[in-house]
Amino acid sequence: MKGTAELLKEHQLKVTPQRLKIVMMLKKHGHINIEDLYGEMLKEFPSVSLATIYKNINQMIDNGLIQEVKLPRSKSVYELIKDPHLHMVCDKCHKVEDVVVGTEKIIEEAEKLSGYIITESFITLRGICAECQATQ
Amino acid sequence: MKGTAELLKEHQLKVTPQRLKIVMMLKKHGHINIEDLYGEMLKEFPSVSLATIYKNINQMIDNGLIQEVKLPRSKSVYELIKDPHLHMVCDKCHKVEDVVVGTEKIIEEAEKLSGYIITESFITLRGICAECQATQ
DNA sequence: CTGACTGCAAACGTTTTGCACGGTA
DNA sequence: TACCGTGCAAAACGTTTGCAGTCAG
């Protein structure tokens, strides 16, 4: 896995302790919302400001390091930009997972039917994860 | 097309002039955000309140008449609930269109890979619509 | 006639902004 | 050293709530 500081530098962002922590949290959790991120940050930086979190998140989005994932029925989460994938949300435990599934066919069909030239797809699936199926 | 008043009654909503207008706007535009809906409502009901719009939209969601569509890079829009479909958003003119595409294959593959039991899918595709391709 | 709906104003939670200070490169 | 990032406080924004008056059924 690429170094956290390098990741920031590659995206024209100065390396600060707060930014390192944000990216480390994203690496660790995969997906995290602002509230949870703030809670985690407070543990290491007791005087960190929510304004700092927002400023950094927005800047990281602008610089192409992370992206917002809008979810049905819940708050947005953020993730490091990586290979295209879709999101699975569990209705029971509310976790979010990535799944790498080929989307070419559906995109091709949608292009044919609509006449659009498609540049990006956002796919989220709601359901029950394997663990929650087992424990119900 | 089903009568607007009937649609409200079927969903246990009293028929009021404001609600009729909201549903008519949804029928006309297909997708509309709160701000635009408020602007349209003001033309016919100069003293309509934003609170009324929000209360009605939330109630219509609770009663299964409409649903929120969260879009990348822009505000949520609302639409009448109909057969499953996906959304196309044009990056140039920002319109939103429905496309009916079979999603069974992608869902089946995602279920296989993830172990989830999937109950609903949300698919949005970004691109350039046919009209904007022609006029660029 | 009764409960539900509306409009208004206030409250609320979230996100953004301006500013003085401190840290990175 | 110069500029960018941080923290704080205030402001802005979108949405929700409580209430009194009105309307649909």
Side-chain angles (χ1 to χ4, degrees):
Chain A
M1 185 176 271
K2 206 172 288 181
T4 305
E6 285 66 35
L7 218 42
L8 287 169
K9 286 179 197 152
E10 282 173 14
H11 291 86
Q12 290 75 49
L13 294 161
K14 281 193 180 179
V15 177
T16 68
Q18 293 88 337
R19 285 179 178 168
L20 283 170
K21 178 77 178 179
I22 291 175
V23 174
M24 278 161 37
M25 285 294 118
L26 289 168
K27 280 184 176 175
K28 181 178 169 194
H29 290 97
H31 311 85
I32 195 163
N33 67 36
I34 296 286
E35 191 182 344
D36 293 346
L37 179 57
Y38 182 49
E40 290 292 320
M41 297 283 294
L42 279 175
K43 294 179 187 170
E44 192 166 330
F45 306 95
S47 65
V48 73
S49 163
L50 251 180
T52 299
I53 310 267
Y54 277 109
K55 284 173 192 166
N56 279 324
I57 288 291
N58 287 332
Q59 206 148 13
M60 289 178 186
I61 290 173
D62 293 344
N63 291 17
L65 173 56
I66 69 174
Q67 68 182 353
E68 180 180 1
V69 181
K70 293 189 179 184
L71 300 172
R73 296 166 160 67
S74 58
K75 293 179 198 162
S76 288
V77 293
Y78 299 85
E79 66 179 6
L80 293 169
I81 288 180
K82 43 189 179 284
D83 290 341
H85 59 276
L86 51 83
H87 295 109
M88 319 274 312
V89 187
C90 178
D91 282 338
K92 283 210 160 187
C93 67
H94 305 109
K95 81 176 154 206
V96 180
E97 292 185 79
D98 293 342
V99 185
V100 178
V101 173
T103 54
E104 310 77 22
K105 279 174 208 145
I106 203 168
I107 289 179
E108 203 179 303
E109 195 178 346
E111 282 187 328
K112 217 173 291 176
L113 285 169
S114 66
Y116 276 62
I117 293 172
I118 294 168
T119 52
E120 196 176 10
S121 64
F122 303 86
I123 304 182
T124 300
L125 305 177
R126 264 187 56 219
I128 308 288
C129 72
E131 292 72 39
C132 287
Q133 288 172 48
T135 60
Q136 73 188 349
Chain B
M1 186 177 268
K2 205 172 288 181
T4 304
E6 285 67 35
L7 217 43
L8 287 169
K9 286 179 196 152
E10 281 172 14
H11 290 86
Q12 290 74 48
L13 294 161
K14 281 194 180 178
V15 178
T16 68
Q18 293 87 340
R19 285 180 177 166
L20 283 170
K21 179 77 179 180
I22 290 175
V23 174
M24 278 162 34
M25 284 294 118
L26 289 168
K27 280 184 176 176
K28 182 177 167 193
H29 289 97
H31 311 85
I32 194 163
N33 67 36
I34 297 285
E35 191 182 344
D36 293 346
L37 179 57
Y38 183 49
E40 291 291 321
M41 298 283 293
L42 278 176
K43 293 180 188 169
E44 193 165 330
F45 306 96
S47 65
V48 74
S49 163
L50 250 182
T52 298
I53 311 266
Y54 278 109
K55 284 172 192 167
N56 280 324
I57 287 289
N58 288 331
Q59 207 148 11
M60 289 177 186
I61 291 173
D62 292 344
N63 291 17
L65 174 56
I66 68 173
Q67 67 183 352
E68 180 181 2
V69 181
K70 292 189 179 185
L71 300 172
R73 298 166 159 66
S74 58
K75 294 180 198 162
S76 289
V77 295
Y78 299 86
E79 66 179 7
L80 294 168
I81 288 181
K82 44 191 179 284
D83 291 340
H85 58 276
L86 52 82
H87 295 109
M88 320 274 313
V89 187
C90 178
D91 282 339
K92 282 210 160 185
C93 66
H94 304 109
K95 81 175 152 204
V96 181
E97 292 185 79
D98 293 341
V99 185
V100 179
V101 173
T103 55
E104 308 78 22
K105 279 174 208 143
I106 203 169
I107 289 179
E108 203 179 302
E109 194 178 347
E111 282 188 328
K112 216 174 292 175
L113 286 169
S114 66
Y116 275 63
I117 294 172
I118 294 169
T119 53
E120 197 177 7
S121 64
F122 302 86
I123 304 182
T124 300
L125 306 177
R126 264 188 56 218
I128 308 288
C129 73
E131 291 71 40
C132 287
Q133 287 172 47
T135 61
Q136 74 189 345

